[in-house]
Amino acid sequence: MSDKIQVAIKVRPLVTREKDVGEFWRVDGNALYPLNIDKQPSGEIFAYDHVFANNSTNMEVFEKVVKPLVNRAVKGFNATIFAYGQTSSGKTHTMLGDQNEAGITQLAVSSMFDFMKRLNLKDETGKVID
Ligand SMILES: Nc1ncnc2c1ncn2[C@@H]1O[C@H](COP(=O)(O)OP(=O)(O)OP(=O)(O)O)[C@@H](O)[C@H]1O
Ligand SMILES: [Mg+2]
């Protein structure tokens, strides 16, 4: 994993009110392109470090983008992950999840606790802390 700032896009599924008009973006690898009113590619293309399509899960985002940073953070490197986007674009769903899937914050914290567990840290009596 490189040290440069990485930008990942997560496309969310359409919500009910958007279903009549449909998608106006297509994902192509690590790029996105907008469609015009006739649903044809408009000619523009926007590339990022990662693009997650609308069927991607928070776990996939975690594995690809977050876990490498957690693995470095537990070795003492600073890392920040934040979600940016217009209202209703899916920031809260990605960061915190919902009743069906955990968000990347929860997955990151769990992964840090798993890491600490594997260290077999001991209390002052020498007993391994669970
Ligand atoms: N991956 C997903 N799967 C299913 N529904 C999703 C997904 N991502 C977002 N949504 C739904 O889309 C809607 C908007 O998402 P969310 O509330 O996360 O947006 P937001 O960017 O946090 O908005 P705001 O800026 O208003 O806080 C919600 O109804 C959410 O449940
Ligand atoms: Mg929100």
Side-chain angles (χ1 to χ4, degrees), residues 78-99:
N78 288 333
T80 301
I81 294 169
F82 67 91
Y84 170 85
Q86 73 179 60
T87 189
S88 208
S89 56
K91 303 179 295 292
T92 299
H93 188 278
T94 303
M95 297 302 276
L96 300 181
D98 62 12
Q99 65 276 21

Side-chain angles (χ1 to χ4, degrees), residues 41-124:
S42 68
E44 292 170 294
I45 185 149
F46 300 90
Y48 300 91
D49 296 299
H50 307 277
V51 176
F52 297 94
N54 63 9
N55 59 352
S56 63
T57 61
N58 287 340
M59 182 58 89
E60 287 168 43
V61 176
F62 171 75
E63 288 290 338
K64 189 97 185 173
V65 179
V66 182
K67 200 170 175 184
L69 291 179
V70 171
N71 289 343
R72 283 171 58 75
V74 294
K75 290 179 187 145
F77 293 91
N78 288 333
T80 301
I81 294 169
F82 67 91
Y84 170 85
Q86 73 179 60
T87 189
S88 208
S89 56
K91 303 179 295 292
T92 299
H93 188 278
T94 303
M95 297 302 276
L96 300 181
D98 62 12
Q99 65 276 21
N100 300 316
E101 60 171 336
I104 60 172
T105 308
Q106 188 183 333
L107 295 170
V109 171
S110 299
S111 149
M112 278 183 245
F113 275 95
D114 286 346
F115 177 87
M116 286 190 279
K117 220 171 185 173
R118 287 199 300 276
L119 293 178
N120 283 329
L121 297 173
K122 298 189 175 84
D123 66 16
E124 60 283 0

